[in-house]
Structure formats: structure tokens, C-alpha cells
Amino acid sequence: MIYGIPITHFLIVSTLMFFIGIYGFLTRRNLITMLMSIELILNSVNINFVVFNRYLYPDQLQGHFFALFIIAIAAAEASVAIALIINIYRRYTSIEVDNVNELKH
Amino acid sequence: MNYSYTIWIPLVPLLVFLFTGLAGSRFKPMISGLIGTTGLLVSFLLSLVTAWKFFFVSGLSGGAYSTIIAARTTWLQLTDYLKIDLGVMLDPISVMMLVVITTVSLMVHIYSLGYMKGERGFERFYSFLSLFTFSMLGLVVATNIFQMYIFWELVGVSSYLLIGFYYERPSAVAASKKAFIVTRFADLGFLIGILLLSFYTKTFDFAELTNPQSPVFTTITSTSFMGLSVITWAMLLIFMGGAGKSAMFPLHIWLPDAMEGPTPVSALIHAATMVVAGVYLVARMFPVYIAYTPGALTVIAWVGGFTSLFAAAIACTQFDIKRVLAYSTLSQIGYMMLALGVSGYEGEHGLGYMASMFHLFTHAMFKALLFLGAGSVIHAVHSNFMNEMGGLRKYLPVTHLTFLVACLAISGIPPFAGFFSKDEILVAAWQHNRLLFSMEYLVAGLTAFYMFRLYFGIFWNKTPHYHHTPHESPLTMTLPLVFLALGSAFTGFIPFGSFISADHRPFEPEMHLNIAIPSVLIALAGIFIAFILYRKENPVVARFINILGSFHKVVYNKFYIDEVYLFVTKRILFNLVSRPVAWFDRHIVDGTMNGIARVISFTSEKIKGLQSGQLQHYALAFVSGAIILVLIVLYNLS
């Protein structure tokens, strides 16, 4: 218990963040916004990891490690995604996801 | 005694084949020819050394020549007891075959340097010759029947390649296909025979198979199928393979057509070496034949005897000189088969076996010589047909003399080689079956007649008008002729009985004057008739043919065997078997496959719209799928 805040509060926040992320990913057409939604999803997962670690196994560190890993990977993923988006922009002069459908059937 | 070097006897030609086959076209053609000939010279010398060491240095142990496994490696381990080895086995007959093959092959290699000079594909010719020599050597030194089968097929392939050497000519292509298909058909029997034999005996090894006391035969002799014991079936099927390769009636039809190949090839493959592979096979399996299946041996004797008579009759009527020689080859191989068929096993009784191998040896010499001589004649007059030749003795003195030696040898005139071997075959036949014996007497007369018909027709008779004066062949061609003529003249004096016999124990064959003298007289009579009829152009010949009338026509058309085959295959097999099978294949088998493919392509056409290319559609599907899975897990677990 951290300063009297129960675990459910954290979990509610992370669940909200997760579904806001999903919603944004599914509805937004702008690739940058979609990327931001993915970051929301990842961060909600991070919160879960840290919180579960802190509340259930306070003397262990695995959850923290995972969170750190995810942050690093999210950074890498963001850089790759932005590089892709820049290339898409050069080609289509827009970053609307609807335009990027060349690989269909 | 160390014999491990013998592995190089077949391997050198293989290396030469690989080298000239892969890199031959980068050099001048003659270089490939010289490499091939040098490689073969190495094999030849190694074979001679081996023969000398085997017969004179190792010699007899306990009164018999021992069988030596010079090299052996396991190639395929099929089960714990059934494995296929590759190796080199030396025993009297394989050592003799090594000498025969390398001698004739070396002569043919040298001869072809002149004969094939300037031909397109010279280096291809030499690489195929090396391939053939490799396969044939591998065949004779086989340690087990399966290795023999592998090389058996390889000689078939090289024979196919060499018959079809002039592949622009449709007749050559047809002949090569015919040879391949007919021998392949026979080899099917051979393969089934091998499988039957090995299924019951659990071994491929000659060492066990040719030991009559070996316990491996207990089950196969006691099992029977359709009234015959399985071993009889197996041995008859194995003989079928041998009959196909050795062109025994009724599988002989491919050999005369095989003369479409270049003449040196006919000399090497279709006279001296490959076609005697069947005889060699029967000789190799002889202990089994004699101990368990004397019935099969009788079949072999009759097939051989009949083929020799049948082919000799056809040879008397043909005009293409190479075809006359081809039928004469059939006839002589018939002799060898017959000799094996009438042979016994021990000591004096094994005379037929010894005579068969002896005849194989001398026949290789004089028949190769005849073919090479015929090649020299063809080279000079550019025709295969006897009626476009005549009077050539003035133009081709060396060819003429060597050809005469070969004719005398094949007719069995003493002291030439054929006399000795043929005499022993006749003695063996006499001791076994009088009817076969009298047939062979007749064949001896016919042989002398058709050979001298050929000889007088080519070298005497009326000289036709030649477009340009025929001239003697170059030294590379006459040298082998002279060498082989010496072989044909003197190899008869080799005391074969002290080297080769069915039980590996030497014996002294006796001379039977009461059989030898009449056979020489019959041969002389044949020569005399040929002399009268063909020495000069003689009107009696035409009248004689008229009297014989339709009989002559039937013989001239080779007893219509080819037509019978065509009828059976084209009319009966194609209509009743092949076409229904083809229909079934096209409509049922292919139809099923096509139906499946059509259903799949139809379905995929319908559902491919799901692949919209919109990232968010996929994401939606993914997320909803994940949610559904989570729900399923949650509600199932609770």
C-alpha cells in the first residue's frame, strides 16, 4: 500500500489508458496519432508491471526490469515507426493510413 | 598379395570420362582422344599385371584359384543383414574379363583416333567410350549382384548414348531408343529376379550366393510358386536380364538396329564386351544354376542353341555388312549360352563352362577385328552395302589380310583361335544332347558360309565403279587390326582349362578328333560353297534365291520378328492397355487433382476481399479476436 492508495486505483488507470490506446489505434487515421496510441498501450502495460511487482512481490525486481525493457523497446519502435512514416510521407505526401494499402491481395 | 590397386582399373576411365566430359570442349578434340587412350592404356597395363599376379604369382591354393575381394565399401546399409556394397572381386572369370575389356577397348580407342577424326563431337565420343569402359569394368568386378545391376544399367545407358551418337539421324535415334527400351524391359526381369533371390536369401553377396553349400538357399528352394520353386523363377528372371543384354531370341531385335552407331562402338559394345555381359552373368551365377535349377540351365541351352541357328540363317541373307556381323554376333553368343547350358560343375564335366568363357575370349578378339575391318572398309568406300563393294583386296591389303584371319578364326579353321574354343563347345554339347549338337554342327557350316560370303563379296567379286579410288586406312586404324589379327590367330593356344573352370580347379581338356575333324570339314564345305557362289559374280545365286522363293523372303525379313513386336505393341498393348490407362490418368487422376485446385482457387477468389489492405481493419480483427479469446478463457475457467 503506497500512501493508502489501493491497487485497484492503479489498475483502473492502466485499464483506461489501455482501452483509450486501443480506441485511438482503431479510429485515428493519422499515423502519428496511431503511434501515440501504441505508446499509451505500452505505458498502461508498464504501469501494470510496476504495480503488480510493488504490491504482490515487493522484495523482487522482475516487474521493474520488464518495465525498463518495454521503455527501451518502445523507444526503438518509435524511431523505426517514425522513419517509416517519413518515408511514407515522401511517397504519398500524406500520412493518412488509408493511403497505405498497396500490399492488399 | 596386395590387390588394392585394382580399384584404379575402373576408376581411371571414370576420371577420364569426367575430365573429357566436363572440360573436353575447351581443348582441341584430339587432346580428349589422346587423354582417353592414355587412360585406357593405364587400365590395360594394370589389368595385365593383375592377370599375371592372379594366375602366376598367387596361383593355386589347395588346387583351386581363390576368390579375392580386393576392395569393398558399404554403400547402402538397408537393414542389419541386407546391405549393398561396392567393391572389386577378383576370380578367374573377372580377371579374364578385365583383360578382354581393356584390350578391346584400348584397340577401339586407338582405332577411333583415325576413324572418327574430324567428326563433330569427337570429344563427346571419347568421353562416352570412357564411361562405357568404366561401367563395363565395374560390372565384371562386382562383388555382389546389386552392384552388378547398377553397372548393368550404366552400360545400358552408355550403349544408348553411343548408338545415338549421330543424333541428327532419325534412324540412329530410333535405334538407340529401341535398344534402351528392349534391354530395359529385360532388366525389369533381372531386377525382380534379384529381389526374389535376396528376399529369400537375405544377401546380395556373390561370395555367399555362389557357394552351393551355403545355408542361405534353404527357404528359397522349399518355397514354390505356380508349380516351380521360387529359386527357379528367380534364376529364370535373372537369365531374362542376361538374355536381353546378350540379345538372345526373342529379345534380340535391338542388336541389329544398334549398328546405327559408329563402327568402333559396334566393335566394342555390340560385339566384344557389353553383349557378352549376359553370358558373364550366367557364368557368375553358374554354381546356383547347376546346383538348384538344372531346368533353367536347359532353358538357357535351348535358347542359346536356337538363337545361334536362327541368327546364322538370317546372316546368310543380309547385305548390310554390319548387320551380317551383328547376326553373326548373335549366333556366336548363342554358342556361348549353349555351352553354359550344357555344362556340368566339377572337373571334366565343367568343360562347357570353360569352353563358353574361352569362346567369349576368342570371340572378343576376332569379332572386334571383323567390326574394325568392316569399319575400315566403310571408311574407304563410304557405304555399308555389300553390293556396292567388291575387289577391294587390291586397295586395302592390310584390312584384307586381317579380315581373312578373322573369317578363318570365326569359321573354326585350325590353327586360328575360333577352332579351339568352338571345338570344346561342340564336345560339351555332344556329351549333353545330340540334337543340340547337330544344330551346332549346322551352325558351324552356316557361319563359315556367311562369313566367306561377306569376305568374297567385299574383297573379290566384281569391282564396282568407285567415285574415288579407295585407299588403305591410316596407321592408327591398321595397327589395332594387326594386333587383333595376331590375337585371333594365336589366342587359341592358351591352355584355358588350366585357368578357368566352373569350380576354379584347373583341368586338361582333351582334343576330340572325331568331333573336330567333321566340324572343320563342314566349315570348309561352307567356305567352298561361298567361294563358288561369290568368288566371281555368279548367276546361280539369283536362281537359287528364286528357287527358295518365299522362304528366302521370310529369312531376309528376319522372320518378321520386328513386325510381330510392332503388332503386339502398337495394336494390342497400345489399344488395350496403354490407352485406357492414359484415359484413366488424364481424366480420373488428373481430374481429381484439377478439381481440388479449382475448388481452392474458387474459395480464395471469394474470400480475398477480406484482405483490404487497411491496417486498421486488421487491427480491429486482431483486437476483437484477442478479446474473444480472453472472454472464452475467463468464462471457461470460472
Side-chain angles (χ1 to χ4, degrees), chain B residues 485-506:
Chain B
L486 291 177
S488 310
F490 297 116
T491 48
F493 294 107
I494 297 175
F496 238 65
S498 48
F499 298 124
I500 286 169
S501 59
D503 53 357
H504 293 191
R505 290 172 191 280

Side-chain angles (χ1 to χ4, degrees), chain B residues 255-270:
Chain B
L255 187 62
D257 287 19
M259 297 300 132
E260 286 294 337
T263 311
V265 169
S266 311
L268 175 60
I269 301 184
H270 306 117

